[in-house]
């Protein structure tokens, strides 16, 4: 609501609406009790080490799947880089090659929407450049579960939890490419605040470190 957004909302350069037909393809009213959260290893260097050793495929390490929580790289209107936390609601794989530049550019949402794709109920490999996702965004909130004043993302002073929103944090549902995914994260459910979760210091450090490698020192 407008009362929840007292500051001028930032918009990532690649956000744009999608057609209503897509919204009919999945249930937009997620229920908290339906979220089966299991402790996972999320550090990408561990995943890569696991793969390099030639171990058997492990879906918890090797795939992005429905209901996974992930950190996603955003480029803001002022060209700054931030991450947002999203919950995967739908997974697909493009039938053809996904152009990395167009998939992360200013018109990426429209570009990705027009791609021919196949749904993947069993997830996609973490390094698959054809991976596509629809995400429901978490909102950074204060200790009482209300939105903080100041920056919308990486509000380190005020942000205590991440709240899974019913309005998708004011954004349209649209496809996001694997090129923007930083890593899986593990969110711990708050004992009393509805739909609020905490991000461990270790996971946050991993996300910011990986993001820095993706975009350079400006991500600090």
């Amino acid at each position: 609501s407008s009362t929840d957004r007292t500051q001028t909302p930032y918009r990532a350069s690649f956000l744009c609406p999608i057609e209503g037909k897509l919204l009919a393809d999945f249930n937009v009213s997620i229920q908290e009790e339906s979220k089966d959260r299991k402790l996972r290893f999320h550090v990408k260097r561990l995943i890569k080490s696991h793969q390099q050793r030639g171990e058997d495929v492990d879906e918890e390490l090797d795939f992005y799947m429905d209901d996974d929580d992930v950190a996603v790289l955003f480029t803001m209107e002022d060209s700054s880089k931030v991450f947002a936390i999203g919950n995967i609601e739908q997974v697909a794989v493009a039938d053809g090659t996904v152009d990395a530049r167009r998939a992360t550019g200013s018109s990426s949402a429209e570009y990705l929407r027009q791609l021919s794709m196949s749904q993947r109920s069993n997830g996609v490999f973490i390094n698959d450049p054809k991976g596509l996702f629809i995400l429901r965004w978490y909102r950074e909130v204060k200790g009482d579960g209300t939105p903080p004043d100041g920056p919308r993302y990486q509000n380190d002073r005020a942000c205590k939890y991440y709240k899974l929103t019913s309005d998708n944090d004011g954004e349209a549902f649209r496809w996001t490419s694997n090129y923007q995914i930083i890593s899986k994260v593990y969110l711990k459910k708050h004992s009393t605040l509805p739909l609020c979760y905490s991000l461990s210091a270790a996971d946050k450090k991993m996300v910011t470190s990986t993001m820095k490698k993706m975009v350079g020192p400006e991500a600090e």
Side-chain angles (χ1 to χ4, degrees):
S1 68
S2 59
T3 58
D4 290 338
R5 293 173 173 275
T6 56
Q7 72 274 21
T8 301
Y10 288 104
R11 287 290 184 268
S13 63
F14 43 74
L15 295 183
C16 76
I18 62 172
E19 293 179 348
K21 180 179 181 299
L22 184 58
L23 296 179
D25 291 339
F26 63 93
N27 182 3
V28 297
S29 58
I30 190 169
Q31 298 297 317
E32 181 176 10
E33 60 269 18
S34 70
K35 294 182 62 58
D36 179 18
R37 297 178 178 278
K38 296 176 293 184
L39 182 60
R40 304 177 176 104
F41 296 101
H42 302 305
V43 182
K44 280 197 170 182
R45 63 176 177 270
L46 295 180
I47 296 174
K48 291 178 181 178
S49 176
H50 154 76
Q51 295 164 353
Q52 290 168 356
R53 291 195 300 267
E55 297 173 352
D56 292 339
V57 170
D58 183 336
E59 68 178 26
E60 294 293 335
L61 296 177
D62 298 321
F63 290 86
Y64 290 130
M65 306 182 71
D66 178 66
D67 204 38
D68 278 345
D69 291 319
V70 292
V72 183
L73 177 64
F74 276 66
T75 301
M76 310 309 290
E77 289 181 340
D78 62 0
S79 298
S80 64
K81 303 296 192 295
V82 300
F83 71 85
I85 304 296
N87 179 261
I88 296 177
E89 295 220 354
Q90 190 168 350
V91 182
V93 171
D95 296 332
T97 300
V98 176
D99 184 288
R101 182 184 59 81
R102 298 183 67 187
T104 56
S106 59
S107 301
S108 64
E110 180 67 14
Y111 166 69
L112 295 173
R113 184 183 66 83
Q114 296 180 9
L115 293 178
S116 174
M117 64 185 74
S118 303
Q119 304 302 311
R120 290 293 176 88
S121 59
N122 59 344
V124 298
F125 191 60
I126 61 165
N127 291 329
D128 190 342
K130 298 181 181 181
L132 302 169
F133 312 93
I134 286 181
L135 300 144
R136 181 181 295 277
W137 300 110
Y138 288 86
R139 176 183 298 156
E140 295 188 9
V141 295
K142 297 184 294 186
D144 61 0
T146 60
D149 296 326
R152 181 176 176 185
Y153 300 111
Q154 276 76 89
N155 193 335
D156 295 334
R157 178 171 297 181
C159 175
K160 299 299 182 183
Y161 304 107
Y162 295 85
K163 185 173 184 177
L164 192 62
T165 58
S166 59
D167 66 348
N168 203 34
D169 201 19
E171 303 294 350
F173 287 98
R174 45 86 181 162
W175 290 104
T176 298
S177 80
N178 206 1
Y179 288 110
Q180 292 171 220
I181 304 296
I182 300 171
S183 178
K184 290 185 184 183
V185 294
Y186 173 67
L187 298 178
K188 183 179 180 180
K189 182 181 176 181
H190 193 279
S191 59
T192 58
L193 290 175
L195 296 173
C196 288
Y197 303 84
S198 59
L199 179 67
S200 72
D203 265 22
K204 185 173 183 180
K205 182 178 180 180
M206 177 270 296
V207 168
T208 55
S209 175
T210 303
M211 185 172 73
K212 179 180 177 181
K213 294 175 182 177
M214 292 172 69
V215 302
E218 63 184 294
E220 291 184 318

